[in-house]
Amino acid sequence: MLSDTERGILSRLSEFSEEIEGSRDAPRALSLPGLADSLGLVRSSLHKPLTKLEEEGLVFTRIAHVIGGGSRKRTVVHITSLGRKKVSTFENIFQIKSGKSFGQVPEPSRLFGREIDKNNLTKLIINGSTIFLTGLPGIGKTSLVRNLIPEIIDSGWTVRWATCYSNTDISDIAFQWTEKKSLRDISALTSYCGKNKNLLIIDEIQEVHPRHIESIGKLLNQIKDSRAAVLVIVRSPNPFNYIKGFSEYRLLGLNENDGKNLLPNEIGEEKASEIVTALGGHPLALHLWSPESELPAEVEAVQEFVESNVISKLTKDGLSTLDELSLSPIPLEENEIYDSNGIGELDESAILRWFEQKSEPHHLIRNVRRSLWSEKERKEMHQKAANHWSEIDSEKALWIETYHKINSNDFETSLLIDKISAISQENSATAALLIEDAIKFEDTDNLRIKAVDIAFERAEYEIIENHLSMIDDSPQKNLRMARLFRINGDIDSAIKLEDTCLSLLSPAEKIRFRISMLVRRFDDRIPRKIDKYLAEEILTEIHSLDFQEISDTDRFTAELTLNLLKHSIALEISNMTLASQSRSELEIILSDNEEHLLMLDLRARLAISSSSELSDLTLDSVRSFIEDCSDQLKKISMIHSALEVTKPNFPDWLIESHDRLFQNPLREDLAAYRRMSAQCWYWRGVIHPTYRLSYWQEAIHRFRAAECTQAANELLEELTKSI
């Protein structure tokens, strides 16, 4: 008869196909450390059951390269055909039979004990409770929750899992919870996910950077009042314990009997009891224990145990790799680690936690190791890491390089701002925390202006006010104050401040500002025909602009933007003469951009299509353009034009085209993109009325962030009517 451990080994091995048995590379899950992780056991506990299984012909071992586990080949285990037949008689406790899950749910691992905790938490969740699950690092919080999930899902629930890192913000949590283009507005996210029989999980929330703590606190405050159950997994001390409405469930160490199950049977009952008692039943500490370990004199001394019995016994290579991983803001793959020679040693010593092929030290070990560095050592390691990542060309590398540059306090401000600007195009959450960290080292107006601009992108108005209060008076500051006035609905104050600033700007800056204001005025509405009086006002102001004092390059850019604007206005007010004139001007400017000219022509054809036959022919051309177009903004613009013409009977292909937009988020650092993003969410609410509340809440949020206050108010009124 097989033991529980033997059954667990066979069940885990059976999840992998026979095809990998002869391959040079094997997944880490088939190595001894990988098996130990999934079974929740100390590695040494596997020796006897594996020997027995191999003797019975149920498994076999070989030497292979373990993916992500270093260059040295290691022992891996495979199940035989006889073993697979044996497994077919087992019940798979982790099989999910119904319900849904979203996000990267951790790999299941076997639990010892915790039945009372498991039952208590399950009852709280089913009752729709909001819970802080707290406890020391490594105490088993995540493992416990992972083992609840099959039962929760079998009850017909939807589980949404988000894991936090330093750059996690609302948008990132939303993406993990929905696996779709991120919602950023808290109300929109709550409307989408805060439904009955939804379990919303946030793990490692204490890792969130202080820059994003407040906004995530606001999310918790709102989501707790929804119909969903909420489970926040957080290491003590809890940075969100001020939030009312959450019950705290504190996870303690394993009792003596359960703790002994993690240790090898051959140790003996008395010795095993001594070990469990000395380590306070701490699961990670028990995993780290070896026969050579010296037990602490006090239960509270787990950190000292880690330092004296784990870290101090590592080789030079092991320490070097541990330092690099402990310094990194995120888990890394083996090929991303420059001092990777110790990765195998760390894995064999149960020091690492794995996310597919990425690894990082268990946070208890990471925190202990960080505490042992001097400031000089820390700075030198950051400098070394920055140099390494500077040689790699990728978005991820740019982020990590900049992170290390800042923390080494070795950066040139203007170059740093350029790097953060580039990062912001793809991930404003990361850019936001980097600029905040930089200000701690060098508090300058230029850095704070950049912090303000990033906060505008993210619609974080309290943060904007805070930074502006720290900046000396200047046109740059006052123009941003005017933007804030406009967003808050104080248009008169905004205009007054803008007029004051304009006199202090260069001719080129003045032209750019006035053009941006004209474009914003045109865009500041939900999709509908523009008011004729507003159209005439904009056209009159266009004609009043004076280009005499600006360079040829600036004039070219200005004329391109204004002719595009005039063409759009002309189509809106059915002035085909003006449309034709603008088209002629644009043909000269865009002579080498046939795609752009084609888009203009198709939009004109859509605007004048009066018969269904003509419209169908035009839509066929529009469909071909959308499928072939290489420019994201042009593609979206054309889709929106087609949606306007075809509503409410949208063709299926057009709905599918719009849905695909959300697989590739738009840039966040440019106003035109932010306005287009707001319009995307508006149309998403039109196309998918089931989720209209959530999608239009997000659209309102993004219209305000794009300084389109009128559009936001119009849509809010429409939303109120539709509810």
Side-chain angles (χ1 to χ4, degrees), residues 183-243:
L183 293 158
R184 180 173 289 167
D185 181 66
I186 292 173
S187 297
L189 181 57
T190 302
S191 298
Y192 191 96
C193 297
K195 298 175 181 176
N196 193 36
K197 300 191 78 171
N198 271 249
L199 171 59
L200 309 180
I201 299 171
I202 306 179
D203 193 12
E204 301 288 0
I205 200 170
Q206 75 286 332
E207 295 298 305
V208 173
H209 191 278
R211 174 63 170 76
H212 302 309
I213 282 283
E214 186 176 347
S215 61
I216 290 183
K218 290 178 180 177
L219 170 65
L220 296 181
N221 251 322
Q222 191 163 135
I223 208 80
K224 70 178 170 57
D225 295 324
S226 71
R227 290 180 292 168
V230 183
L231 179 59
V232 179
I233 307 170
V234 57
R235 185 174 69 234
S236 301
N238 180 4
F240 299 98
N241 58 10
Y242 64 90
I243 297 177

